[in-house]
Every structure is written in structure tokens, then in C-alpha cells.
Amino acid sequence: LARLGGPAAQQILRAHLADAGAYERVAALDGLVRTGAVLPWVELAPLLDDRLARRAALPLFGRSGAPEAIAPLAAALERTPHERSLAVAGLAELAAALGPAALRDPLAGSEAALGEALGEEEGETPRHAAELLLVLRDTARLGAAVRTHYPEQADELATIAAELTTAGLPTTFE
């Protein structure tokens, strides 16, 4: 169904979230992620109680645009590197949808996990982690991570980060 995509396939996959077994639910979530589905929080919230489904649904949490998705994504920052990467991407989507101020308090205390995400080589994770550290106004940690992972550009990037923080935070770097 995920290969077919479209609203009809997404509707069938969504129907499996409520009445399927654990593995079928995870397969349905995977299909929904692959088709780019956006589900309302009311359909995602019941998945919080199922560890496997919660992990598979992390990308959908970010796409939901719901403030309620911040807490489960923030908690996932402290789990496996894969879950951290998914959570960072989801939180970056929420920052773009809700504005940086919505994430500042819920993410307080997550700076170390975001600092670790800066060093990952997986896709957009380092860029999203940098954006979230700027949301948290943690330019010191961002600067230290940049000096470690990008020593050639460290001075220039640290200056840019400091200037952005002083001037007002963007939600993304494009």
C-alpha cells in the first residue's frame, strides 16, 4: 500500500492503527510515514502507550504540528541514536510549525542530547540539531560541537550563530 500511496492507501493504513496487532500497527505506521501522511494528534495520542508503535510514529508526531507532540519527541532524544535522529527531525518540523518559543521550555535540559545529534552523519540531523540548539539559545554548545566536527569553518559558524542569537532566532536555516 505504501508503494501505491495516495489518500485511499493512507485511509486503509490508518484503519489498521486502532484494530491491528502490534506488528501490523508498526507496518501501517511505516506505510504512513513512507506516504508522507499527516495525521491529527487525536489519532497519534493512543500510540504513546505502545513502545513499538511510539517509535515507529515519531516522524508522524513531528508532521502533526500538534504542541502535544513536543513531550514524546523530547523524551525520544534520550533513547537510541536512531530515535534521537527521528526526534530531532520531528522537533525541527514542530519548531517550523509552532514557532521556536513553543519548544524552548519543553526542550530545556535536552542540550546534551542535541549536542550529540550534531555529530551524527545521518541526513539532516546535524542541521536540525543546530537549529534546535539555537532555539534553546545554547550557542556555547553549538560552537563547541562545530569546533569539534567542522574545525575549518568553526570561527565563521560560531560568529554567525552568535549574531543570529543576538538578532533574533530563525526557525530554520535555508
Side-chain angles (χ1 to χ4, degrees):
L1 284 174
R3 286 186 187 171
L4 295 174
Q10 289 179 3
Q11 194 59 35
I12 293 168
L13 292 168
R14 287 167 81 165
H16 280 40
L17 296 181
D19 60 1
Y23 293 106
E24 291 87 3
R25 193 170 20 260
V26 169
L29 287 165
D30 181 61
L32 289 165
V33 168
R34 289 174 189 253
T35 62
V38 177
L39 277 63
W41 184 251
V42 69
E43 290 182 41
L44 296 170
L47 303 173
L48 292 172
D49 296 329
D50 179 338
R51 182 183 59 83
L52 292 174
R54 182 179 59 237
R55 181 179 185 192
L58 287 173
L60 297 170
F61 289 177
R63 286 185 205 158
S64 73
E68 298 87 350
I70 297 170
L73 287 168
L77 289 173
E78 304 299 331
R79 295 191 193 115
T80 68
H82 178 70
E83 286 176 280
R84 181 177 54 233
S85 181
L86 294 173
V88 165
L91 288 164
E93 286 188 77
L94 287 176
L98 302 173
L103 276 74
R104 212 166 276 130
D105 288 341
L107 289 183
S110 300
E111 294 87 353
L114 292 169
E116 288 179 32
L118 278 173
E120 293 181 17
E121 296 179 16
E122 185 177 321
E124 299 289 311
T125 300
R127 182 175 66 85
H128 292 315
E131 292 168 5
L132 293 169
L133 283 170
L134 284 175
V135 165
L136 293 171
R137 297 185 173 132
D138 190 347
T139 55
R141 190 177 306 271
L142 179 60
V146 165
R147 282 188 291 284
T148 300
H149 300 290
Y150 307 100
E152 316 74 55
Q153 297 93 4
D155 291 337
E156 180 182 359
L157 291 172
T159 300
I160 291 169
E163 288 172 2
L164 287 172
T165 301
T166 302
L169 299 171
T171 55
T172 60
F173 292 109
E174 300 284 299

